[in-house]
């Protein structure tokens, strides 16, 4: 239903070094080399989905909105230069690593700078190219927040699962590997029992971002040793994220898929949008899960640094509860500014959001474009559960069509104005 009203852009910003940042300028030959690299990887990875995923790519410089493309658009916004195309991304389009429709075509948008490492470049690019083809492959884009992964028990058992996966990656024997994979999936099943319905929510993100990330990995061309280093590095980086609710699938699905690929390299062609990936992995890896999953043996928890993880998450939970109280006061209890979405696009970083339970989710950094204008937030905003409106702090400065508050700026289009409800002292946006 929501897809009728807006397109959702998920901005997953990776902290990577710049490809050739100090070695060469960003000229057409430089960009052309990149496009040829991705095309070659897509050709070599044809068998992953039995189709060529190479398609329309837009490289975007967030600072200047400068575009570089491998193909022209249908509206002639992009101009040919050398064997590529250049232009400027319109202000009403948000910048993110994503797929979107523009200029009469579907594009994979990728933010500059590119990763310095070739395998990371290919991984990232193919991930976004998969999203451009995903509907035709039968996978619906769906990104519900796994808000239980912001709760203490949810984080504990996800971290334990990830520790078990790390040991499986580093295992010296197949028996040791299988033991850790069994424990990882048992810990996952236990987490899903603790939070009823969480298996379905987690599965939706894994079928979307998880399969896209596995596709990028599968086409990256890494050796077994490079794959191990890649996964271990990702695991160690991931646990430092402020939140896991929208980003865990980038880490979990590729690892499970990697292990399944040793039994069937085309396993991904067996799944559909209706597949429960957890049960699929359990079956393909020949894992036996205990019938009574409500209790986890203490020795299993201890084996994966459980005591330290539990202690860390108790401290984090105290800080999170204080933050939740702060946000509830700012966006719910005290006067605030509520803006209803009409036909919006939104970009944000999925690694640092915070759930306020049934009140919605706080996004510390957000950019929204809508029929009413452009909103840029740098100090948090609350989006309600049904994605119908966004709440920010009260306006502090109004200068014509530009309205500013603490950590946000709104640039309005004609026929819209800010109005204050004297009864509840909240501000709203109305169309004149």
């Amino acid at each position: 239903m929501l897809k009728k009203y807006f397109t959702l852009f998920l901005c997953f910003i990776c902290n990577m070094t710049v490809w050739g940042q100090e070695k060469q300028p960003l000229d057409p030959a430089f960009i052309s080399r990149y496009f040829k690299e991705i095309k070659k990887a897509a050709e070599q990875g044809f068998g992953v989905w039995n189709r060529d995923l190479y398609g329309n790519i837009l490289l975007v410089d967030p600072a200047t909105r400068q575009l570089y493309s491998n193909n022209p658009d249908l509206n002639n916004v992009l101009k040919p230069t050398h064997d590529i195309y250049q232009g400027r991304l319109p202000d009403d389009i948000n910048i993110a690593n994503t797929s979107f429709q523009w200029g009469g075509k579907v594009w994979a948008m990728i933010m500059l700078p590119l990763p310095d490492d070739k395998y990371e470049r290919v991984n990232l690019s193919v991930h976004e190219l998969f999203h451009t083809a995903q509907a035709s492959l039968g996978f619906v884009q769906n990104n519900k927040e796994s808000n239980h992964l912001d709760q203490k028990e949810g984080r504990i058992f996800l971290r334990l699962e990830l520790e078990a996966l790390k040991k499986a990656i580093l295992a010296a024997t197949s028996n040791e590997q299988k033991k850790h994979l069994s424990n990882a999936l048992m810990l996952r099943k236990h987490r899903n029992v603790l939070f009823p319905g969480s298996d379905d929510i987690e599965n939706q993100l894994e079928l979307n971002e998880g399969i896209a990330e596995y596709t990028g990995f599968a086409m990256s061309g890494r050796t077994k040793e490079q794959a191990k280093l890649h996964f271990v590095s990702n695991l160690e980086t991931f646990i430092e994220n402020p939140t896991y609710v929208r980003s865990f699938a980038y880490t979990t699905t590729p690892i499970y898929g990697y292990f399944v690929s040793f039994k069937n390299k085309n396993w991904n062609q067996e799944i559909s949008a209706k597949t429960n990936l957890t049960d699929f992995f359990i079956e393909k890896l020949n894992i036996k899960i205990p019938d009574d999953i409500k209790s986890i043996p203490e020795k299993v928890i201890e084996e994966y640094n459980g005591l330290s993880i539990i202690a860390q998450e108790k401290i984090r939970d105290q800080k999170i509860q204080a933050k939740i109280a702060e946000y509830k006061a700012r966006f719910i209890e005290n006067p605030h500014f509520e803006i209803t979405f009409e036909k919006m696009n939104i970009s944000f970083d999925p690694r640092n959001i915070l759930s306020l339970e049934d009140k919605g989710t706080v996004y510390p950094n957000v950019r929204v474009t809508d029929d009413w204008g452009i909103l840029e937030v740098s100090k948090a905003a609350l989006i309600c559960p049904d994605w119908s409106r966004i709440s920010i702090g009260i306006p502090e400065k109004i200068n014509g069509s530009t309205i500013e508050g603490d950590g946000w700026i709104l640039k309005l289009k004609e026929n819209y104005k800010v109005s204050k409800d004297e009864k509840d002292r909240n501000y709203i946006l109305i169309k004149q």
Side-chain angles (χ1 to χ4, degrees):
M1 179 65 71
L2 292 176
K3 284 193 173 183
K4 289 178 61 179
Y5 302 104
F6 66 86
T7 302
L8 178 64
F9 289 86
L10 299 184
C11 178
F12 193 76
I13 304 170
C14 301
N15 294 318
M16 299 176 180
T17 56
V18 184
W19 180 32
Q21 183 180 38
E22 298 179 356
K23 299 177 182 178
Q24 54 186 307
L26 204 60
D27 60 19
F30 174 81
I31 297 296
S32 178
R33 178 164 62 90
Y34 162 76
F35 289 139
K36 290 174 182 176
E37 177 182 80
I38 299 306
K39 184 176 182 180
K40 181 179 179 180
E43 289 172 349
Q44 293 176 339
F46 181 92
V48 176
W49 289 103
N50 285 330
R51 67 178 295 172
D52 184 3
L53 291 185
Y54 188 70
N56 304 311
I57 300 174
L58 289 178
L59 301 181
V60 187
D61 183 341
T64 64
R65 305 187 76 83
Q66 178 70 29
L67 292 179
Y68 306 89
S69 176
N70 58 337
N71 290 319
D73 66 303
L74 298 183
N75 297 329
N76 295 317
V77 173
L78 301 171
K79 305 303 180 184
T81 306
H82 193 56
D83 59 349
I84 67 167
Y85 299 84
Q86 297 188 50
R88 187 181 184 279
L89 188 69
D91 291 339
D92 62 350
I93 298 178
N94 291 313
I95 299 174
N97 291 334
T98 189
S99 65
F100 75 119
Q101 290 188 339
W102 175 71
K105 294 183 177 182
V106 178
W107 303 84
M109 182 194 295
I110 301 167
M111 294 187 296
L112 294 168
L114 297 168
D116 185 57
D117 181 81
K118 171 188 174 181
Y119 303 103
E120 295 293 346
R121 284 198 302 274
V122 173
N123 204 139
L124 168 64
S125 304
V126 173
H127 176 118
E128 301 307 338
L129 283 169
F130 171 83
H131 283 313
T132 68
Q134 126 175 34
S136 63
L137 289 169
F139 295 94
V140 178
Q141 293 199 33
N142 201 339
N143 284 302
K144 286 187 177 180
E145 289 96 349
S146 294
N147 288 330
H148 59 287
L149 296 181
D150 244 350
Q151 297 184 37
K152 182 177 65 176
E153 294 295 315
R155 284 178 60 95
I156 287 172
F157 281 95
L158 176 60
R159 289 185 62 182
L160 289 170
E161 177 188 353
L162 297 180
E163 287 294 323
L165 285 176
K166 185 194 292 186
K167 288 200 172 187
I169 292 165
L170 299 174
T173 67
S174 58
N175 286 338
E176 184 183 357
Q177 181 185 94
K178 187 170 182 178
K179 182 190 80 168
H180 294 306
L181 284 173
S182 298
N183 287 339
L185 287 161
M186 179 171 63
L187 289 161
R188 170 178 286 216
K189 282 288 190 179
H190 178 73
R191 178 176 72 248
N192 293 152
V193 169
L194 290 177
F195 299 94
S198 63
D199 55 341
D200 178 59
I201 296 174
E202 290 180 13
N203 191 57
Q204 290 181 43
L205 189 63
E206 291 197 306
L207 283 169
N208 186 20
E209 298 298 347
I211 295 301
E213 185 65 11
Y214 174 77
T215 302
F217 165 78
M219 292 190 180
S220 67
R222 294 181 178 92
T223 65
K224 286 186 179 180
E225 286 305 312
Q226 288 170 331
K228 287 182 180 180
L229 291 173
H230 168 71
F231 287 136
V232 171
S233 176
N234 276 7
L235 285 166
E236 292 175 348
T237 301
F238 172 79
I239 63 171
E240 299 300 325
N241 288 347
T243 182
Y244 304 151
V245 301
R246 273 188 176 270
S247 55
F248 72 94
Y250 292 82
T251 302
T252 53
T253 312
I255 295 176
Y256 285 118
Y258 173 68
F259 285 119
V260 174
S261 70
F262 290 116
K263 298 177 180 293
N264 176 11
K265 68 176 183 178
N266 296 320
W267 66 266
N268 53 289
Q269 296 177 26
E270 297 182 16
I271 66 174
S272 71
K274 296 182 179 180
T275 301
N276 182 303
L277 283 177
T278 299
D279 292 339
F280 179 86
F281 291 143
I282 288 172
E283 177 187 353
K284 297 303 178 182
L285 293 170
N286 195 26
I287 301 296
K288 304 296 182 184
I289 301 295
D291 292 333
D292 183 10
I293 202 68
K294 292 183 179 180
S295 61
I296 296 292
E298 188 174 331
K299 64 179 182 179
V300 171
I301 294 176
E302 291 178 352
E303 185 168 8
Y304 302 114
N305 201 28
L307 297 180
S308 176
I309 288 174
I310 291 169
Q312 291 170 17
E313 291 303 326
K314 283 182 178 179
I315 294 173
R316 179 189 179 277
D317 188 60
Q318 293 172 353
K319 294 179 180 179
I320 287 297
Q321 294 308 315
K323 201 68 177 176
I324 288 174
E326 175 191 334
Y327 283 142
K328 283 185 175 179
R330 189 191 311 181
F331 299 125
I332 300 171
E333 298 161 3
N334 294 330
H336 52 274
F337 185 8
E338 289 188 358
I339 304 175
T340 300
F341 294 140
E342 296 180 11
K343 189 178 180 182
M344 69 84 156
N345 292 319
I346 182 169
S347 64
F348 56 85
D349 186 341
R351 297 172 300 175
N352 62 356
I353 62 180
L354 179 62
S355 169
L356 297 191
E357 300 152 350
D358 62 336
K359 304 300 183 183
T361 302
V362 173
Y363 297 80
N365 300 287
V366 186
R367 187 178 192 270
V368 182
T369 63
D370 206 316
D371 288 346
W372 37 255
I374 300 174
L375 171 67
E376 296 188 75
V377 180
S378 60
K379 286 189 178 180
L382 173 67
I383 297 180
C384 68
D386 65 0
W387 285 79
S388 63
R389 65 187 184 279
I390 186 170
S391 297
I392 52 180
I394 61 173
E396 297 178 350
K397 182 180 179 182
I398 299 178
N399 184 12
S401 61
T402 301
I403 299 92
E404 297 181 54
D406 183 21
W408 61 266
I409 182 168
L410 172 63
K411 296 181 179 179
L412 289 178
K413 293 182 180 179
E414 293 182 3
N415 301 324
Y416 288 90
K417 71 174 185 178
V418 177
S419 177
K420 183 179 180 180
D421 187 325
E422 295 299 334
K423 184 177 181 180
D424 60 17
R425 296 185 299 157
N426 289 334
Y427 291 80
I428 59 173
L429 194 64
I430 61 175
K431 189 172 185 178
Q432 302 181 69

